[in-house]
Amino acid sequence: MHEILTLQLGHRANYLATHFWNTQESYFDYGVSEEPLTIDHDIHFRAGQGPKGEDTYTPRTLIYDLKGGFGGLRKWGGLYDQGDIDPGSQDLWDGSVVKQQDKPISQSAYQKALDDLDQPPKLSSQAVRYWSDFSRVFYHPRSIIQINDYELGSTILPFEKWDCGEQLFSELDKAHDILDRDIRPWAEECDQVQAIQVFASADDAWGGFATRYVESLRDEYGKTPLWFWGLEEQAGQGQRAQQSIRTVNIAQSLQAISTLASMYIPLAVPKYPPAYVGLDLSSQWHVSGLMSMAVESITLPSRQKAGSMGRGLLGDLEVALNSNGNQRIAELQCSVVDPLTQNLERGAEASQAAKDKRTAGSPLQQLAYEDEMGPGQSRLDISFSSGQTTGTGLSLRQWERRNHVFGKVESIRGVPWEGHVLNDEGEANRRKRRRLGSLPTIERYCNALGYPLLDSFPEILVGGGSSSKAAAIYASLSTTGQMSKWTKGLQNMVSRMVDVVEREALSNGLGEMAEAYEEGWDSGADDDSSSDY
């Protein structure tokens, strides 16, 4: 069945994952669609039974958050509510009991309306206090794991340093054996696990927690593809001391997790989003919504039904991205085309320019330009790597020199893209010619299914209009020479921030990672170790 298990580590990761699950839930057509979707729901959802014998269908996910981070989400996930149980009635103590209990967090108006089967109110940044406030999905009780050692937003004992997360996991694992308690019951329900995907913030203590978790997963499931999505705050936010802590946390997470995970994808808040994106940077609901469009779109091939066109397991995507075996850090980019006509015009201009270039030059050059006709890397205007965008004003040749591509996966959804999706024979010939020309591996997937713009999704697409039900997305995941520049920038920064004891190991580790993105090509005078951190 090729199931995917998901781990959500931390509050910001849960915002992103909530958008992800809301999107998956929207793909259920309940038999009313004239053309059934090609989504295989069993990849991300499990069938079960509630306490009264009713059938349930819940996400294959584990949700970790600090005390106070679940908001108004009910303890048993909504489908499995057990009623109010008096803890004192189960105690063995016969004496008097003084009961102290925090005031429960009320449900959001959106959640109440969904429970009452009413039309939910329009959401806003002010109305969304927690990630559960806009959740449309019921979770299994085993999915909900609250960590009581730290409290969300605490200034007395903040959960912000990488070492705190690392120590917390070690303590919990020693007391409970986290893999046996949390992971194994889910894995044993699967027929054949396709991959494990982890959403976690990499710039706070959750990065240390995730590192030890991924290390345990790799020991137990050594051959299973493991994708890590590392969330980062926008560069330059907060006081200087906080920025330094975040930078060191990112470096530690990157250096440790990228050697364990199959793919490590940084997810930083874009510093300069395009004009058609109206982003409230103070709202995690907004920021995670933008990220979810790209994450959900690039992984869409992994949940297609067997035999359907455009299907590609996460392991297949890995082969294209990490063809050399030592390039596991990938850059995520995307562009929203519909309903913004200026993007359609820009895409047409880029396609025509690529066609013109193909008419001249050697056969090798013609083959290289062949892939620029699609939503090429230099034409995507939202990048989640280090908060940068690709709109740098560089010429295509300058961009190629500075950003050599080792491997790339493109997912095109919501618009027909004839001419870029070949039949099996044509695709095989294209791959063969690229191998003979020593060109990078490029895989392209196409799906007519647009990204659904739900009532739980923020209105961040300026000019889209409230009538738009879906958006066309071009998403790209690539391993490029840009990762060398980014890693070297981190190396230079953290060498001045950490003490002597850990400086050498961290700096050397980042240096070795940077070298992996320089092998086989010469960046020449374009090498620049500057960084935005």
Side-chain angles (χ1 to χ4, degrees), residues 134-155:
F134 64 97
S135 175
R136 300 181 57 89
V137 180
F138 289 113
Y139 297 100
H140 192 277
R142 291 204 315 258
S143 291
I144 303 169
I145 305 169
Q146 178 172 285
I147 295 178
N148 296 312
D149 302 64
Y150 291 85
E151 188 169 357
L152 182 69
S154 173
T155 56

Side-chain angles (χ1 to χ4, degrees), residues 213-476:
Y213 210 140
V214 170
E215 186 177 54
S216 298
L217 288 170
R218 184 50 74 207
D219 289 341
E220 185 70 19
Y221 305 99
K223 296 183 179 180
T224 302
L226 199 160
W227 284 44
F228 182 84
W229 305 88
L231 283 77
E232 304 170 13
E233 289 281 10
Q234 187 182 45
Q237 295 294 309
Q239 299 179 355
R240 184 175 296 274
Q242 292 177 318
Q243 294 180 39
S244 297
I245 292 174
R246 288 204 302 265
T247 300
V248 173
N249 290 341
I250 290 172
Q252 290 176 306
S253 298
L254 179 70
Q255 191 269 336
I257 297 177
S258 64
T259 60
L260 299 167
S262 306
M263 295 304 305
Y264 183 109
I265 304 99
L267 292 176
V269 182
K271 181 179 288 187
Y272 307 110
Y276 63 80
V277 175
L279 206 60
D280 180 0
L281 295 176
S282 65
S283 171
Q284 285 296 329
W285 178 51
H286 270 227
V287 171
S288 59
L290 181 63
M291 292 180 176
S292 74
M293 290 197 306
V295 172
E296 207 280 329
S297 296
I298 198 64
T299 59
L300 182 62
S302 67
R303 33 189 176 273
Q304 298 297 302
K305 293 179 180 178
S308 61
M309 182 178 178
R311 186 179 192 234
L313 304 183
L314 292 184
D316 299 330
L317 274 57
E318 282 180 20
V319 172
L321 292 168
N322 188 20
S323 57
N324 295 331
N326 57 354
Q327 291 145 350
R328 299 187 179 93
I329 308 171
E331 179 181 10
L332 179 64
Q333 298 172 292
C334 77
S335 185
V336 182
V337 174
D338 183 31
L340 302 162
T341 57
Q342 61 264 38
N343 284 355
L344 285 170
E345 294 169 358
R346 180 185 56 197
E349 292 171 358
S351 178
Q352 184 60 46
K355 289 179 181 178
D356 293 342
K357 290 180 180 179
R358 290 178 64 202
T359 60
S362 67
L364 185 60
Q365 290 174 323
Q366 294 175 19
L367 185 59
Y369 285 127
E370 175 182 286
D371 295 289
E372 295 170 17
M373 293 177 61
Q377 179 179 340
S378 58
R379 300 298 175 181
L380 301 183
D381 50 18
I382 305 175
S383 173
F384 299 95
S385 177
S386 305
Q388 293 300 306
T389 68
T390 56
T392 59
L394 300 175
S395 69
L396 182 60
R397 180 57 59 194
Q398 288 175 318
W399 182 258
E400 287 175 342
R401 289 180 61 195
R402 296 190 181 192
N403 214 21
H404 175 79
V405 177
F406 295 97
K408 182 164 63 173
V409 173
E410 289 182 345
S411 178
I412 309 167
R413 67 183 303 178
V415 291
W417 202 261
E418 294 84 357
H420 299 295
V421 181
L422 307 178
N423 56 30
D424 291 343
E425 182 179 356
E427 187 67 24
N429 289 335
R430 185 179 70 88
R431 291 173 180 170
K432 182 178 180 180
R433 292 183 329 177
R434 296 192 66 83
R435 284 197 303 270
L436 293 175
S438 300
L439 292 171
T441 303
I442 296 180
E443 294 290 346
R444 182 170 295 140
Y445 299 89
C446 184
N447 198 306
L449 178 66
Y451 181 83
L453 301 177
L454 309 174
D455 55 18
S456 62
F457 190 81
E459 294 183 356
I460 58 177
L461 301 183
V462 180
S466 58
S467 61
S468 299
K469 299 299 182 182
I473 307 291
Y474 296 163
S476 169

